[in-house]
Amino acid sequence: MIPVQGFEGRVVAVLGLGRSGLSAARALREGGAVALCWDDNPAAREAAAAEGFELRELARAGGFDGVDRLVVSPGIPHLYPAPNAVVAAAWDAGVPVDNDIGLFFRSLGQGEWDMFDTPPRVVAVTGSNGKSTTSALIHHILTSSGRDSQLAGNIGRGVLDIDPPGDGGVVVLELSSYQTDLARALTPDVAVFTNLSPDHLDRHGGMGGYFAAKRRLFSEGGPDRCVIGVDEAEGRYLANQMSEGAADDRVIRVSSGTKLSGPGWDVFARKGFLTEWRKGRQVASIDLRQVRGLPGAHNHQNACAAYAAARALGVAPRVVEAAFMSFEGLPHRSQIVAEAGGVAYVNDSKATNVDAALKALQAFPKVRWICGGLMKEGGLGGLAPGFPNVVKAYVIGREAAGFALGLPGVEAEVCTDMETAVTRAIAEAQPGEVVLLAPAAASFDQYDNFEQRGDDFAAKVRAGLGG
């Protein structure tokens, strides 16, 4: 645990008692603060009370009397589409609002760091798609190379649950826009921006607010090194903002599909090969085509970002390459769950938006595509470049018929439920094809989360294949 620093003997309110909220309350108490807790869910309140935390309904009159800080869990809106009532009450009471990420950066440095030969480092990864894979891959590279590394944030453990890093240790954080938007302290040593595509727009008041939340990791944090995907205009803008010139190698530009060159530091993937280019010459190259855990151009972008972050930490190219080969990928992200009769079955349930689903479709030449769910804003038009790879679509979800109408030119069968879709896909799949779950939609119409949806797909595939 990272004890929260700076609030000894003071009262801090914690709103939302899920994983991050309850860990924040524990870390506050460990650091000598008094944590007042609240959650609208009675079961969450009971769990906090069982650990000895005092409960207070913060939205009531006088709820913030004596409170020095409010810590808000990431799932709770603080501005758009409307401020949570407790957050608004904190504003009115003049109480600063923060989250566990801000507490983490505020509290990370310990007195014993003065005795370390190599100070600990923090790598923070944000972006729309690929954050989890990139973060896990960086962590895998570091541990494979013998470095002490911990993975936390939006993946793995809560940021305040990890152990204080030791001499030369690295903390790898995946940070969502919800987390970067509110944190009052953001000071990573290496900051990574993967890409940007429309997502969570209601929560950020539009695309500009969404990008602004991501950008805070760089503009507020002042990282020593920035790894920035430049395949979208926002990434090119951010790289330009963080750089003092073309030769400024504090910014490592990353691309999947575009050759980058110049006097600075670039990492790009083209035709299945990753290339590192620095100071006007090629430094290293890796053949990604045989890396089983990183299929497709979108994963090659993840590989470039992870490679660049590892190089910024001093890991040698051949060490990174060896780690790539042993990386098995993450559940629900281009995860091969079965192979039978020349057909691969791939779970990409995390592809909850159009951009992620498009990248999954483009990773495989012949796809039997299981898609559908709770559609997001913006429609399905962005999927069109992937349609040539689709042999047939099997549409699930309560709005399956409407979803199918948004796939012009694609043979689509309305299946509604996962069992029907998987059964039909198994029956019709031919050798050399891929049965791919890439929903391009949220899961909440039929499942609690994308993990549950992916697990159901994997279970139905194994049952359908006889084991």
Side-chain angles (χ1 to χ4, degrees):
M1 178 182 294
I2 306 286
V4 173
Q5 305 295 310
F7 294 99
E8 295 82 355
R10 297 163 66 187
V11 178
V12 179
V14 178
L15 177 64
L17 300 174
R19 184 189 67 165
S20 66
L22 203 51
S23 69
R26 295 183 189 120
L28 282 160
R29 182 165 62 186
E30 186 71 16
V34 176
L36 295 180
C37 297
W38 186 255
D39 194 297
D40 290 339
N41 184 341
R45 296 200 299 269
E46 289 174 11
E51 293 192 30
F53 291 109
E54 181 181 345
L55 302 176
R56 181 187 289 184
E57 191 168 353
L58 298 163
R60 288 188 174 181
F64 281 96
D65 289 351
V67 173
D68 291 292
R69 185 73 51 112
L70 173 65
V71 175
V72 179
S73 294
I76 297 173
H78 59 273
L79 187 56
Y80 301 111
N84 179 275
V86 174
V87 174
W91 295 345
D92 293 340
V95 173
V97 180
D98 204 347
N99 62 13
D100 64 328
I101 303 301
L103 296 182
F104 167 82
F105 279 111
R106 176 190 181 106
S107 307
L108 184 61
Q110 305 294 322
E112 61 266 24
W113 282 24
D114 293 339
M115 305 299 293
F116 291 162
D117 292 330
T118 304
R121 311 286 294 281
V122 177
V123 179
V125 181
T126 195
S128 296
N129 300 306
K131 297 188 299 296
S132 296
T133 297
T134 299
S135 301
L137 185 53
I138 294 168
H139 174 64
H140 178 73
I141 293 166
L142 293 170
T143 55
S144 297
S145 67
R147 300 278 291 272
D148 177 21
S149 175
Q150 298 182 79
L151 181 63
N154 207 40
I155 185 175
R157 302 163 67 186
V159 292
L160 294 169
D161 277 339
I162 66 173
D163 300 323
D167 196 339
V170 180
V171 178
V172 182
L173 301 181
E174 178 197 337
L175 299 181
S176 71
S177 57
Y178 294 179
Q179 294 169 309
T180 59
D181 198 18
L182 193 57
R184 296 174 73 90
L186 286 168
T187 54
D189 297 283
V190 179
V192 180
F193 176 85
T194 58
N195 51 56
L196 197 78
S197 62
D199 206 0
H200 309 305
L201 299 189
D202 59 334
R203 177 66 182 266
H204 296 291
M207 196 68 176
Y210 177 51
F211 176 53
K214 302 287 189 184
R215 184 178 177 272
R216 287 192 76 243
L217 183 63
F218 299 81
S219 60
E220 300 286 334
D224 295 333
R225 278 255 157 71
C226 303
V227 175
I228 300 176
V230 295
D231 289 333
E232 294 89 29
E234 292 87 352
R236 294 194 292 277
Y237 166 81
L238 182 59
N240 181 270
Q241 287 277 298
M242 300 306 296
S243 171
E244 291 297 328
D248 186 354
D249 67 0
R250 294 174 301 174
V251 176
I252 307 176
R253 292 169 175 82
V254 166
S255 175
S256 176
T258 300
K259 181 179 179 180
L260 305 175
S261 61
W265 197 350
D266 304 314
V267 179
F268 60 90
R270 291 185 73 237
K271 299 180 180 179
F273 286 86
L274 179 154
T275 299
E276 177 184 2
W277 191 274
R278 191 172 187 184
K279 296 181 179 179
R281 63 184 184 87
Q282 181 175 311
V283 174
S285 179
I286 298 174
D287 185 351
L288 298 175
R289 295 172 299 176
Q290 303 306 314
V291 180
R292 182 179 174 83
L294 296 167
H298 63 306
N299 273 311
H300 292 177
Q301 183 185 56
N302 299 334
C304 288
Y307 176 96
R311 293 288 289 131
L313 294 171
V315 182
R318 292 305 135 207
V319 174
V320 177
E321 181 176 16
F324 281 175
M325 297 303 174
S326 61
F327 183 67
E328 295 182 355
L330 290 177
H332 316 296
R333 299 163 177 85
S334 298
Q335 176 195 20
I336 299 174
V337 297
E339 292 180 282
V343 178
Y345 296 82
V346 177
N347 167 20
D348 204 346
S349 184
K350 185 62 168 66
T352 58
N353 60 44
V354 165
D355 187 66
L358 172 62
K359 290 175 179 176
L361 290 175
Q362 292 176 325
F364 308 101
K366 296 180 180 179
V367 177
R368 292 192 178 270
W369 178 30
I370 298 177
C371 56
L374 191 63
M375 288 193 288
K376 297 185 176 182
E377 295 181 19
L380 304 176
L383 291 165
F387 289 167
N389 292 14
V390 178
V391 178
K392 183 177 178 180
Y394 306 81
V395 188
I396 64 173
R398 294 178 189 170
E399 302 173 349
F403 195 101
L405 291 174
L407 308 176
V410 173
E411 181 184 354
E413 180 176 342
V414 175
C415 298
T416 306
D417 61 85
M418 186 69 74
E419 183 171 10
T420 302
V422 169
T423 299
R424 295 290 297 144
I426 289 175
E428 296 179 351
Q430 301 297 312
E433 295 179 345
V434 169
V435 174
L436 170 69
L437 171 66
S443 59
F444 305 125
D445 59 333
Q446 293 182 311
Y447 300 95
D448 291 339
N449 49 54
F450 73 84
E451 293 97 338
Q452 189 182 81
R453 176 173 58 190
D455 289 340
D456 190 34
F457 168 75
K460 295 296 191 297
V461 166
R462 293 179 184 121
L465 295 175

mmCIF file of all heavy atoms in Angstrom, residues 271-275 285-291 300 318 321 324-325:
data_model
loop_
_atom_site.group_PDB
_atom_site.id
_atom_site.type_symbol
_atom_site.label_atom_id
_atom_site.label_comp_id
_atom_site.label_asym_id
_atom_site.label_seq_id
_atom_site.Cartn_x
_atom_site.Cartn_y
_atom_site.Cartn_z
ATOM 1 N N LYS A 271 4.165 -2.856 -42.791
ATOM 2 C CA LYS A 271 4.225 -4.183 -43.399
ATOM 3 C C LYS A 271 4.731 -5.245 -42.416
ATOM 4 O O LYS A 271 5.446 -6.171 -42.795
ATOM 5 C CB LYS A 271 5.105 -4.146 -44.656
ATOM 6 C CG LYS A 271 4.588 -3.195 -45.730
ATOM 7 C CD LYS A 271 5.474 -3.183 -46.959
ATOM 8 C CE LYS A 271 4.917 -2.225 -48.011
ATOM 9 N NZ LYS A 271 5.770 -2.167 -49.225
ATOM 10 N N GLY A 272 4.361 -5.066 -41.150
ATOM 11 C CA GLY A 272 4.699 -6.075 -40.154
ATOM 12 C C GLY A 272 6.058 -5.909 -39.506
ATOM 13 O O GLY A 272 6.447 -6.738 -38.679
ATOM 14 N N PHE A 273 6.798 -4.853 -39.832
ATOM 15 C CA PHE A 273 8.119 -4.631 -39.249
ATOM 16 C C PHE A 273 8.120 -3.357 -38.405
ATOM 17 O O PHE A 273 7.682 -2.303 -38.869
ATOM 18 C CB PHE A 273 9.195 -4.527 -40.333
ATOM 19 C CG PHE A 273 9.546 -5.840 -40.962
ATOM 20 C CD1 PHE A 273 8.800 -6.323 -42.033
ATOM 21 C CD2 PHE A 273 10.597 -6.606 -40.468
ATOM 22 C CE1 PHE A 273 9.113 -7.546 -42.610
ATOM 23 C CE2 PHE A 273 10.914 -7.824 -41.051
ATOM 24 C CZ PHE A 273 10.171 -8.296 -42.118
ATOM 25 N N LEU A 274 8.614 -3.458 -37.203
ATOM 26 C CA LEU A 274 8.811 -2.300 -36.336
ATOM 27 C C LEU A 274 10.214 -1.752 -36.557
ATOM 28 O O LEU A 274 11.186 -2.506 -36.570
ATOM 29 C CB LEU A 274 8.611 -2.703 -34.868
ATOM 30 C CG LEU A 274 8.796 -1.638 -33.777
ATOM 31 C CD1 LEU A 274 7.963 -2.012 -32.557
ATOM 32 C CD2 LEU A 274 10.260 -1.464 -33.356
ATOM 33 N N THR A 275 10.303 -0.435 -36.695
ATOM 34 C CA THR A 275 11.590 0.217 -36.914
ATOM 35 C C THR A 275 11.771 1.359 -35.919
ATOM 36 O O THR A 275 10.855 2.159 -35.710
ATOM 37 C CB THR A 275 11.684 0.773 -38.348
ATOM 38 O OG1 THR A 275 11.563 -0.299 -39.278
ATOM 39 C CG2 THR A 275 13.016 1.484 -38.561
ATOM 40 N N SER A 285 15.302 -2.964 -35.759
ATOM 41 C CA SER A 285 14.116 -3.417 -36.473
ATOM 42 C C SER A 285 13.678 -4.759 -35.902
ATOM 43 O O SER A 285 14.518 -5.591 -35.541
ATOM 44 C CB SER A 285 14.406 -3.552 -37.969
ATOM 45 O OG SER A 285 13.272 -4.005 -38.665
ATOM 46 N N ILE A 286 12.348 -4.953 -35.800
ATOM 47 C CA ILE A 286 11.795 -6.199 -35.273
ATOM 48 C C ILE A 286 10.686 -6.671 -36.204
ATOM 49 O O ILE A 286 9.802 -5.886 -36.590
ATOM 50 C CB ILE A 286 11.226 -6.008 -33.846
ATOM 51 C CG1 ILE A 286 12.327 -5.597 -32.869
ATOM 52 C CG2 ILE A 286 10.546 -7.277 -33.354
ATOM 53 C CD1 ILE A 286 11.819 -5.260 -31.483
ATOM 54 N N ASP A 287 10.700 -7.948 -36.562
ATOM 55 C CA ASP A 287 9.644 -8.556 -37.365
ATOM 56 C C ASP A 287 8.491 -8.918 -36.431
ATOM 57 O O ASP A 287 8.608 -9.837 -35.602
ATOM 58 C CB ASP A 287 10.185 -9.797 -38.069
ATOM 59 C CG ASP A 287 9.173 -10.412 -39.029
ATOM 60 O OD1 ASP A 287 8.001 -10.005 -39.036
ATOM 61 O OD2 ASP A 287 9.563 -11.339 -39.788
ATOM 62 N N LEU A 288 7.375 -8.209 -36.561
ATOM 63 C CA LEU A 288 6.226 -8.440 -35.687
ATOM 64 C C LEU A 288 5.273 -9.504 -36.222
ATOM 65 O O LEU A 288 4.342 -9.896 -35.514
ATOM 66 C CB LEU A 288 5.441 -7.131 -35.505
ATOM 67 C CG LEU A 288 6.179 -5.966 -34.844
ATOM 68 C CD1 LEU A 288 5.298 -4.719 -34.866
ATOM 69 C CD2 LEU A 288 6.564 -6.311 -33.413
ATOM 70 N N ARG A 289 5.493 -9.983 -37.429
ATOM 71 C CA ARG A 289 4.512 -10.869 -38.046
ATOM 72 C C ARG A 289 4.392 -12.206 -37.332
ATOM 73 O O ARG A 289 3.338 -12.853 -37.392
ATOM 74 C CB ARG A 289 4.892 -11.100 -39.512
ATOM 75 C CG ARG A 289 4.819 -9.842 -40.371
ATOM 76 C CD ARG A 289 5.381 -10.072 -41.745
ATOM 77 N NE ARG A 289 6.798 -10.458 -41.672
ATOM 78 C CZ ARG A 289 7.534 -10.789 -42.727
ATOM 79 N NH1 ARG A 289 6.986 -10.765 -43.941
ATOM 80 N NH2 ARG A 289 8.801 -11.106 -42.583
ATOM 81 N N GLN A 290 5.435 -12.613 -36.641
ATOM 82 C CA GLN A 290 5.409 -13.899 -35.947
ATOM 83 C C GLN A 290 5.106 -13.755 -34.452
ATOM 84 O O GLN A 290 5.163 -14.738 -33.717
ATOM 85 C CB GLN A 290 6.772 -14.601 -36.125
ATOM 86 C CG GLN A 290 7.175 -14.825 -37.568
ATOM 87 C CD GLN A 290 6.119 -15.573 -38.358
ATOM 88 O OE1 GLN A 290 5.580 -16.587 -37.892
ATOM 89 N NE2 GLN A 290 5.819 -15.083 -39.554
ATOM 90 N N VAL A 291 4.762 -12.537 -34.021
ATOM 91 C CA VAL A 291 4.445 -12.329 -32.611
ATOM 92 C C VAL A 291 2.971 -12.664 -32.412
ATOM 93 O O VAL A 291 2.085 -11.868 -32.717
ATOM 94 C CB VAL A 291 4.736 -10.879 -32.178
ATOM 95 C CG1 VAL A 291 4.404 -10.701 -30.697
ATOM 96 C CG2 VAL A 291 6.199 -10.535 -32.432
ATOM 97 N N HIS A 300 0.213 -3.713 -33.617
ATOM 98 C CA HIS A 300 1.550 -3.248 -33.982
ATOM 99 C C HIS A 300 1.761 -1.813 -33.479
ATOM 100 O O HIS A 300 2.877 -1.447 -33.091
ATOM 101 C CB HIS A 300 1.744 -3.335 -35.494
ATOM 102 C CG HIS A 300 1.800 -4.745 -35.986
ATOM 103 N ND1 HIS A 300 1.905 -5.067 -37.325
ATOM 104 C CD2 HIS A 300 1.762 -5.945 -35.320
ATOM 105 C CE1 HIS A 300 1.933 -6.391 -37.460
ATOM 106 N NE2 HIS A 300 1.840 -6.926 -36.250
ATOM 107 N N ARG A 318 17.015 -5.884 -28.438
ATOM 108 C CA ARG A 318 16.907 -7.342 -28.500
ATOM 109 C C ARG A 318 16.180 -7.907 -27.282
ATOM 110 O O ARG A 318 15.498 -8.919 -27.353
ATOM 111 C CB ARG A 318 18.298 -7.972 -28.614
ATOM 112 C CG ARG A 318 19.000 -7.693 -29.912
ATOM 113 C CD ARG A 318 18.144 -8.107 -31.120
ATOM 114 N NE ARG A 318 18.142 -7.083 -32.164
ATOM 115 C CZ ARG A 318 17.161 -6.903 -33.031
ATOM 116 N NH1 ARG A 318 16.082 -7.639 -32.972
ATOM 117 N NH2 ARG A 318 17.243 -5.969 -33.952
ATOM 118 N N GLU A 321 12.546 -7.357 -28.062
ATOM 119 C CA GLU A 321 12.098 -8.341 -29.053
ATOM 120 C C GLU A 321 11.820 -9.697 -28.397
ATOM 121 O O GLU A 321 10.799 -10.337 -28.679
ATOM 122 C CB GLU A 321 13.145 -8.492 -30.151
ATOM 123 C CG GLU A 321 12.740 -9.482 -31.238
ATOM 124 C CD GLU A 321 13.745 -9.551 -32.368
ATOM 125 O OE1 GLU A 321 14.889 -9.084 -32.188
ATOM 126 O OE2 GLU A 321 13.386 -10.068 -33.444
ATOM 127 N N PHE A 324 8.547 -9.519 -26.603
ATOM 128 C CA PHE A 324 7.420 -9.582 -27.522
ATOM 129 C C PHE A 324 7.042 -11.035 -27.817
ATOM 130 O O PHE A 324 5.862 -11.403 -27.842
ATOM 131 C CB PHE A 324 7.764 -8.893 -28.849
ATOM 132 C CG PHE A 324 7.680 -7.398 -28.839
ATOM 133 C CD1 PHE A 324 8.076 -6.671 -29.955
ATOM 134 C CD2 PHE A 324 7.218 -6.698 -27.735
ATOM 135 C CE1 PHE A 324 7.998 -5.290 -29.970
ATOM 136 C CE2 PHE A 324 7.135 -5.312 -27.731
ATOM 137 C CZ PHE A 324 7.532 -4.606 -28.863
ATOM 138 N N MET A 325 8.034 -11.855 -28.050
ATOM 139 C CA MET A 325 7.776 -13.239 -28.465
ATOM 140 C C MET A 325 7.099 -14.064 -27.366
ATOM 141 O O MET A 325 6.401 -15.032 -27.662
ATOM 142 C CB MET A 325 9.086 -13.905 -28.893
ATOM 143 C CG MET A 325 9.744 -13.274 -30.105
ATOM 144 S SD MET A 325 8.634 -13.239 -31.544
ATOM 145 C CE MET A 325 9.618 -12.283 -32.704
#
